[in-house]
Amino acid sequence: MSVLAQISTVVVDCDDPVRLAEFYSRVTGWEITHSGEDFASLGNGDRPGLAFARVEGHRAPDWPHDAKHAHLDLTVVDLEEATGRILALGASKPAFQPGKDQWVVLTDPEGHPFCLTTGS
């Protein structure tokens, strides 16, 4: 089967694109490739990239409620160490943690949930 399309960028709706691009740049080590009032993006030279678009009146998902939303899964080497370092960058750790010792749910500075896992 031939490929019809490839994902080039995952775009996250938000209130402050620059703030989230800076946060995720520190978390992933990816470079910010564009930074503006309404849109910011980052990447590591490969695809897909990650971008943030301003949406007036944006409200982040209310974790763990079941309203439809997407989230990022980020693979780390040491779950406990990475959790501590990312919390120090401005993430928050919600009380509800369904992953037991397999993954940790955090939220970015605007409240979007994302998971850390070792992949094992």
Side-chain angles (χ1 to χ4, degrees):
M1 176 181 218
S2 65
V3 175
L4 295 175
Q6 294 181 351
I7 295 175
S8 62
T9 305
V10 175
V11 180
V12 177
D13 294 344
C14 65
D15 183 56
D16 188 342
V18 173
R19 177 181 181 204
L20 284 188
E22 289 171 350
F23 171 78
Y24 282 102
S25 176
R26 290 189 307 267
V27 169
T28 64
W30 290 4
E31 291 185 33
I32 294 176
T33 55
H34 177 82
S35 181
E37 185 177 330
D38 293 322
F39 184 82
S41 60
L42 59 138
N44 67 351
D46 293 328
R47 294 287 187 188
L50 186 59
F52 306 92
R54 179 182 309 280
V55 172
E56 196 67 38
H58 179 265
R59 289 187 353 211
D62 187 15
W63 174 261
H65 296 274
D66 61 359
K68 301 293 183 211
H69 63 268
H71 70 269
L72 300 173
D73 282 351
L74 305 176
T75 303
V76 299
V77 174
D78 183 308
L79 192 57
E80 187 175 332
E81 176 190 3
T83 299
R85 291 178 64 191
I86 293 171
L87 287 170
L89 293 174
S92 298
K93 185 176 178 182
F96 179 64
Q97 293 290 322
K100 306 209 187 316
D101 294 330
Q102 296 180 325
W103 72 86
V104 173
V105 178
L106 299 178
T107 55
D108 68 25
E110 286 200 12
H112 302 96
F114 62 96
C115 294
L116 302 179
T117 181
T118 61
S120 56

